[in-house]
Amino acid sequence: MRKECFRLLLPLALASLTLSSLAQSPRPQATLTVAPQYQMTVRTQKTIAPVQKAMYGVFFEDINFGADGGLYAELVKNRSFEFNNALVGWLPFGDVSVRSDNPCFDRNPHYVRINYVKQLTRSGLQNEGFRGIGLKQGEAYNFRMFARTAAQGNQRILVELVNSANDIVGSANITVAGSEWKEVTASLTARTTDAHCVLRVTLTAPGQVDLDHISLFPAKTFNNRSNGLRADMAQALADLNPGVFRFPGGCIVEGNNLATRYQWKNSIGPVENRPINENRWFYTFKYKLTPDYYQSYGLGFYEYFLLCEDLGAEPLPVLHVGLSCQYENKDPNENVPLDQLDPYIQDVIDLIEFANGPVTSVWGSKRAEMGHPEPFNLKMVAIGNEQWGELYTDRLALFVAKVRKAYPKILIVGGSGPSSDGKDFDFLWPKMKELKVDLVDEHYYKNPEWFFSNARRYDSYDRKGPKVFAGEYASHHASRANNFEAALSEAAFMTGLERNADVVHLATYAPLFAHKDAWQWRPDLIWVDNLQVVKSINYYVQQLYMHNKGSHVLSLTMNNEPVAGQDRLYASSVLESATNEVIVKLVNASEQVKSVQLNFDGLDKAQKSGTMTTLSASSMTAENTFEAPYFVVPQTTGFTFEGGSYVLQARPNTFYVLRFTRK
Ligand code: AHR
């Protein structure tokens, strides 16, 4: 009896030894002899639903220095002398005054007068940039300003790049001639790399000069555009391959009151004359105070559309619905009365014309003047961000009626409030159906367990109503870190988005960027300082989904059920019809190795080979940091199988993407 028992237990003990040692090291999987614990079936010949081309994308908001001080490559803070007391970001020395008489730009009227008198050794001002100016050794920088003399004769201006040790690391001389405003430019090359430089502008001889719009851009911007974007940050977006780009917010659309809402019409035309706006994120949310936070609108709607075109992503602008942020502002005067909504509705209609209208139309001609006569091919607009209640639906109804009438083919995205459930959500979804919006924007910032346990969230959604846009979501660990646990839970949850691609049409993680010295919110997809970009582990999850999106959902089941958390396993499958590839995504969120047999129904028995990409980490709290930016990144190897099935020894807490050609 004892012998029998021993005989039975020994193979099990050996098997578990092999399994646990596999968890530690990548031993050849062929050594495992036990039968697979899990049988999953992928029906490779039967597509269930198309996956939208735009399915996975990004949500951009000017939060955490996302635009000014971030993606927008301008290095000078408050270049127009308009923000707050006009000299925010500037340190004047000698005799400097702020004036607005006979200005260069009517919508940005302030400028500085620099006066040099003999008693002073120098007069001028220096700009601190956005928590410093990041310069790279050997790289060129384009300096530009508007200037006029305010005294007899030509004036000589010295422009200097100064590093954090107070050494001059680049300079240029500029002559200002004539009493009319003129644009003057210079190119400077940095002799050193330093994240915390300043820009100094000095009048070097007795005289008087007026200066405005003092600007410094890296010569190298994304796609070498003028008024362009920080190349490394935009490249990080391009590397994702996003299908949709939601902008410009978020709460920033609403503003803290009606006066500070985002007004897209102020964000187009010559940059020098775009009126600035305060940034709704200037004050502390939960973390830090950034009282110097404003929006230059240098990165405006034209630039957003251009970026979408460069990225190959569908633009999804969010527009104001006539309500200020309902969290922040309870003043009923900040809600536009229903009979005064027309200008707000007109903003939506005009935006569609700006994006798509012929060059002969009022707004289409403005797009053409800015350099893009071809339409941007805008297909959808979102109206309202995180609004709720009848205040929202009463207003949205008027927008829907008028926008539909003007542009019946444009898709309209409505909202479901700030949370994934609860009273407001339950009120809004049926209302969105009544209003017949095309998509409903859902937001959820929840803990990792919520994400793990919500992989079936969309299984029971009504297939006949509006489609889902998961417009803002992120797994919020108690530490609010971009750690592996948060990323893994998103990977698991997203198998549910993919399985339900017939009803979930768009999904965008939030927020996108954060500057390590000036953030208000975390976690975020991409962290930056003035020189470096750090892609979070969450970024790599998004990237794996975007690069392996496929064109059609395939059925993947275990015991005829979707794989959505049984024994902490999650899986989904898609076909990429253009290349005839089958793609399987599988998350093992348990602490054990799971032996999973993937049976590819409908596949011939010949040998197949493909790629297997894994994302795993040494601990659930692992993060990519500025010191170790590539601590956790996906690893890709090859794999082969034959006979129509493959046994995957799924390691603990690992996200897998398998990809192979069907024939
Ligand atoms: O993503 C940050 C903020 O979260 C957005 O501005 C808002 O829509 C949400 O509450």
Side-chain angles (χ1 to χ4, degrees), residues 338-553:
L338 292 176
D339 60 359
Q340 291 171 32
L341 270 181
D342 274 355
Y344 293 77
I345 299 174
Q346 197 58 43
D347 272 355
V348 181
I349 292 172
D350 292 344
L351 178 68
I352 299 168
E353 186 175 285
F354 176 72
N356 295 352
V359 296
T360 47
S361 63
V362 174
W363 290 98
S365 73
K366 295 190 194 294
R367 181 192 71 239
E369 265 167 42
M370 291 185 75
H372 203 286
E374 309 78 23
F376 281 121
N377 201 13
L378 175 68
K379 298 194 180 86
M380 51 196 163
V381 292
I383 300 168
N385 175 44
E386 286 185 346
Q387 272 78 31
W388 60 80
E390 281 174 357
L391 276 176
Y392 177 43
T393 52
D394 287 352
R395 281 164 183 74
L396 184 62
L398 299 177
F399 277 78
V400 171
K402 292 197 173 162
V403 174
R404 284 255 190 264
K405 193 161 174 227
Y407 292 103
K409 287 196 181 138
I410 290 284
L411 301 180
I412 296 180
V413 182
S416 60
S419 187
S420 58
D421 47 27
K423 185 170 75 51
D424 296 319
F425 182 89
D426 294 343
F427 168 77
L428 286 168
W429 250 103
K431 283 281 182 191
M432 292 302 131
K433 288 184 182 174
E434 258 174 62
L435 291 173
K436 294 193 169 50
V437 300
D438 300 287
L439 292 112
V440 177
D441 184 5
E442 294 192 354
H443 293 183
Y444 25 90
Y445 296 107
K446 301 282 192 179
N447 62 36
E449 268 322 307
W450 185 94
F451 278 85
F452 282 125
S453 54
N454 269 268
R456 296 200 73 160
R457 176 179 176 85
Y458 295 111
D459 292 10
S460 53
Y461 264 50
D462 179 2
R463 268 47 195 174
K464 294 195 194 86
K467 305 303 177 199
V468 172
F469 168 36
E472 288 187 30
Y473 68 92
S475 173
H476 282 192
H477 189 263
S479 64
R480 297 289 289 259
N482 279 102
N483 67 21
F484 181 70
E485 184 177 355
L488 190 71
S489 68
E490 286 154 8
F493 174 77
M494 289 175 79
T495 59
L497 301 183
E498 186 165 280
R499 276 191 301 101
N500 288 287
D502 58 329
V503 70
V504 181
H505 277 197
L506 302 171
T508 56
Y509 179 98
L512 185 54
F513 288 116
H515 190 294
K516 89 175 197 328
D517 299 325
W519 54 271
Q520 299 85 24
W521 182 291
R522 67 176 184 167
D524 306 285
L525 205 62
I526 301 167
W527 286 82
V528 303
D529 63 13
N530 288 341
L531 294 174
Q532 228 186 315
V533 164
V534 176
K535 298 168 174 172
S536 66
I537 309 175
N538 316 69
Y539 173 99
Y540 290 109
V541 168
Q542 294 296 321
Q543 190 181 47
L544 285 171
Y545 271 91
M546 291 186 211
H547 283 227
N548 295 286
K549 184 183 63 63
S551 56
H552 295 85
V553 183

